[in-house]
Amino acid sequence: MSANQESRESHPFSSGRTRGGRETQINSKLLQYVTSHNTGEKYLFATTNAMSAAPYIIETGKPVMAMGGFSGSDPILTVSKLEEMVKTKEVKFFLIPSQDGFRGFGDGNESNRVFEWIRAHGKEVPKSEWQPDSSPDHGFPMHFGGGETLYEIEQ
């Protein structure tokens, strides 16, 4: 067992590899869930930006989609593109903001349409399945706490 694996088992928000002098943090329960439920999809999951996706990519070497590009402000997806990606089984898990009206990537209009489509077509994965038992308000980035919801969309 690697030191990273031991660390993940002892702490729900485990440190991944050091990158550029900073430790990357991942939600090990989320990673375990999306990995064990992957049925051949290209992406482990999609999330709002590269800052949220990067620790998982670094830890696993597997792709995680940053729907808003690096900072979350680049509208790389449209609803029709996302529909196609789901139909072709490229992605089925989406970690997106829980609150309605979240202004994500771009001017917010397209990202809101993408988030609305995910919420309308997805099944919310119970937080108990992917979120650590610890309180969501420990100063971690939004993708570690109650600020996001994991959705699954299967075609």
Side-chain angles (χ1 to χ4, degrees):
M1 178 178 298
S2 75
N4 283 343
Q5 289 169 322
E6 288 176 27
S7 175
R8 280 193 303 279
E9 289 178 6
S10 64
H11 194 277
F13 300 111
S14 62
S15 294
R17 298 182 186 121
T18 301
R19 187 79 168 175
R22 294 187 325 191
E23 286 190 30
T24 58
Q25 292 187 320
I26 61 169
N27 173 337
S28 57
K29 195 169 179 181
L30 169 65
L31 180 58
Q32 188 278 328
Y33 184 87
V34 297
T35 301
S36 67
H37 290 85
N38 184 289
T39 55
E41 292 78 21
K42 175 180 178 178
Y43 296 96
L44 285 178
F45 64 96
T47 190
T48 55
N49 61 53
M51 299 302 285
S52 297
Y56 296 93
I57 296 167
I58 292 166
E59 182 66 23
T60 66
K62 296 180 181 178
V64 175
M65 184 190 310
M67 294 186 293
F70 178 75
S71 66
S73 62
D74 297 324
I76 67 167
L77 278 181
T78 62
V79 170
S80 59
K81 176 65 177 166
L82 184 59
E83 280 183 282
E84 182 64 27
M85 293 180 82
V86 169
K87 284 180 186 173
T88 59
K89 300 189 184 292
E90 290 183 61
V91 62
K92 73 175 177 180
F93 290 110
F94 300 88
L95 187 62
I96 63 170
S98 296
Q99 57 271 49
D100 291 327
F102 172 80
R103 288 181 58 89
F105 38 89
D107 64 6
N109 293 332
E110 191 60 38
S111 63
N112 283 336
R113 285 190 285 274
V114 167
F115 293 154
E116 288 168 8
W117 187 87
I118 292 167
R119 290 180 185 116
H121 293 86
K123 176 184 77 171
E124 189 173 327
V125 177
K127 289 189 187 300
S128 62
E129 297 289 320
W130 63 273
Q131 200 171 24
D133 296 330
S134 61
S135 171
D137 295 324
H138 288 305
F140 291 104
M142 184 168 67
H143 64 276
F144 287 129
E148 293 192 332
T149 301
L150 182 66
Y151 289 90
E152 179 178 5
I153 303 175
E154 292 195 80
Q155 295 289 337

